[in-house]
């Protein structure tokens, strides 16, 4: 598809945003050799949310009679300041039963804040490495998988702070 617009145009593209798929990244590098490739932050946060939800699911499975872990999935994905009093109360009940879930929630919100506060890719890399150091202490397989993703794609994730590029518009088509 991009070949049809010509190599000269493709070489002028400065920024590309894509999902975390090797094929997308490879195609972007081949078609747009001068572009900074940014991984869409929605997909990065989604991967983290999936890790958090895996912890919630394991708690639901282990503690089937405990209502604290039921119906909180979407609350876990909200930032604390956006929760109502009732939602905060429900989360706190779950956190009392599982300090691990609480720590995951704290780390998820810290991660979200990095996207809002990073001043450039170098700063974001530093903040993400600090986050990784803290998240590693959770010692959970799902977190470890997410950390590995961050480490593998750090430069492309951190470039968001330089480009603010997202592929949300194209995904909405």
């Amino acid at each position: 598809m991009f070949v049809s617009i010509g190599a000269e145009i493709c070489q002028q593209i400065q920024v590309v945003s894509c999902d975390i798929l090797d094929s997308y990244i490879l195609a972007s590098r081949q078609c747009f050799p001068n572009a900074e490739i940014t991984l869409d932050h929605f997909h990065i946060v989604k991967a983290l949310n999936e890790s958090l939800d895996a912890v919630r699911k394991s708690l639901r499975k282990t503690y089937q009679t405990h209502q604290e872990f039921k119906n909180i999935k979407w609350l876990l994905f909200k930032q604390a300041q956006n929760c109502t009093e009732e939602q905060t109360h429900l989360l706190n009940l779950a956190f009392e039963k599982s300090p691990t879930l609480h720590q995951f929630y704290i780390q998820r919100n810290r991660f979200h804040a990095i996207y809002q506060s990073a001043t450039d890719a170098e700063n974001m890399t530093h903040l993400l490495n600090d986050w990784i150091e803290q998240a590693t202490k959770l010692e959970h397989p799902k977190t470890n998988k997410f950390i590995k993703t961050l480490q593998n794609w750090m430069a492309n994730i951190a470039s968001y702070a330089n480009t603010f590029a997202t592929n949300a518009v194209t995904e909405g088509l």
Side-chain angles (χ1 to χ4, degrees), residues 23-164:
S23 58
Y24 288 178
I25 295 164
L26 179 61
S28 297
R29 285 185 181 140
Q30 288 175 343
C31 293
F32 312 111
N34 299 319
E36 182 171 355
I37 299 170
T38 301
L39 296 182
D40 188 307
H41 71 285
F42 169 82
H43 295 279
I44 306 300
V45 172
K46 180 181 176 204
L48 176 59
N49 287 345
E50 288 170 355
S51 297
L52 177 58
D53 194 44
V55 173
R56 182 197 63 84
K57 285 178 181 177
S58 69
L59 290 166
R60 284 276 298 141
K61 194 174 199 176
T62 303
Y63 303 103
Q64 293 178 10
T65 60
H66 292 247
Q67 295 301 306
E68 292 86 356
F69 306 119
K70 189 177 180 182
N71 301 321
I72 62 166
K73 175 180 179 173
W74 301 111
L75 298 181
L76 290 169
F77 300 162
K78 288 181 83 169
Q79 294 179 50
Q81 69 270 18
N82 296 332
C83 290
T84 65
E85 280 186 42
E86 182 180 345
Q87 291 170 335
T88 300
H89 176 71
L90 291 172
L91 285 171
N92 285 333
L93 289 174
F95 297 155
E96 286 173 16
K97 294 283 184 189
S98 175
T100 300
L101 183 65
H102 189 210
Q103 290 304 309
F104 265 86
Y105 181 73
I106 290 168
Q107 290 304 320
R108 185 239 176 243
N109 285 327
R110 279 190 64 230
F111 186 84
H112 201 284
I114 291 170
Y115 273 95
Q116 296 171 342
S117 65
T119 55
D120 58 30
E122 183 178 345
N123 176 247
M124 188 160 183
T125 299
H126 175 74
L127 294 171
L128 288 172
N129 281 323
D130 285 348
W131 185 90
I132 288 169
E133 186 178 323
Q134 293 299 312
T136 301
K137 295 175 185 174
L138 294 174
E139 297 180 352
H140 193 280
K142 292 295 183 178
T143 304
N144 296 340
K145 181 181 176 187
F146 180 72
I147 288 170
K148 185 173 176 158
T149 298
L150 286 180
Q151 291 168 328
N152 288 342
W153 300 106
M154 181 69 73
N156 300 104
I157 293 168
S159 74
Y160 176 82
N162 289 340
T163 67
F164 300 106

